[in-house]
Amino acid sequence: DPNAYPQSHLAFVRPLRGDAPRAPAWGVCLDTVDYAGFDLTRTRGAGTTGAISADQLLALERALFEALLSRQSAGAARPVWLMFGHHPIEDLEPASRARLLGFWDSHPEIVAYVAAHTHRSDEKTIVLPSGRRALEIIVGSTTDAPQTARVIEVRDSPAGGAAVVLGWRLALDAAEL
């Protein structure tokens, strides 16, 4: 139903590579065009402003819990999590931004947020409500100038603390090719 968008969202958690449920890194995939509880007519239309409902975050909370239970029963270590959403944090409407940052702050195992939308490659340090710093990685575009992409790597901390996220920006120089 084309008019059902206020009541729906598509959000899930998945291993980022095979061997589920033992995969060491998992993704928290957000629907950033979840307009439940947001008046879309206050924007320039669907997609221009990102939104995340409280219901979506509640569903993701359950999915994270279920994934952790399945890993525990498989004898696997706690995974490292990356969040993925289309809209960068600054492009979320204010209430959604606050909800997302609060959710992220309550999950220290989520090491970064990966977004797109702007077609420009960037990295930003996000200060969560507790004061903890976290990383936002905005991937570029391989079709729009400047043509860029990102390689993202998650590594165990050498000191045994939180995982470390590394990102490399790859730029394609079409004129050189």
Side-chain angles (χ1 to χ4, degrees):
D1 178 1
N3 296 313
Y5 70 86
Q7 295 85 30
S8 62
H9 59 261
L10 176 62
F12 51 91
V13 301
R14 293 288 185 272
L16 295 180
R17 61 185 178 101
D19 197 24
R22 296 183 63 87
W26 282 58
V28 177
C29 301
L30 296 160
D31 180 356
T32 63
V33 290
D34 172 9
Y35 296 117
F38 175 68
D39 181 6
L40 189 57
T41 62
R42 295 185 336 204
T43 70
R44 292 175 299 173
T48 59
T49 300
I52 300 168
S53 70
D55 287 343
Q56 178 182 168
L57 293 177
L58 182 60
L60 283 171
E61 191 75 52
R62 286 187 197 118
L64 282 163
F65 180 74
E66 289 171 6
L68 288 171
L69 280 180
S70 72
R71 289 182 61 79
Q72 185 178 27
S73 67
R78 290 180 71 88
V80 173
W81 297 86
L82 292 170
M83 274 194 301
F84 296 89
H86 179 75
H87 290 85
I89 292 169
E90 70 181 22
D91 288 348
L92 296 174
E93 61 90 19
S96 293
R97 185 179 316 119
R99 277 191 289 275
L100 177 63
L101 295 179
F103 175 82
W104 192 356
D105 211 8
S106 70
H107 291 283
E109 66 275 14
I110 298 175
V111 295
Y113 177 76
V114 180
H117 189 66
T118 64
H119 293 235
R120 291 182 308 275
S121 180
D122 201 1
E123 280 188 19
K124 297 180 179 185
T125 298
I126 303 298
V127 179
L128 300 175
S130 68
R132 180 169 62 97
R133 296 185 174 292
L135 181 63
E136 177 181 26
I137 300 170
I138 302 171
V139 298
S141 170
T142 58
T143 58
D144 297 334
Q147 293 168 311
T148 58
R150 284 282 192 179
V151 174
I152 301 168
E153 187 174 329
V154 180
R155 295 184 182 174
D156 287 334
S157 168
V164 176
V165 179
L166 304 170
W168 291 273
R169 181 176 179 264
L170 306 176
L172 173 66
D173 188 345
E176 283 291 315
L177 294 177

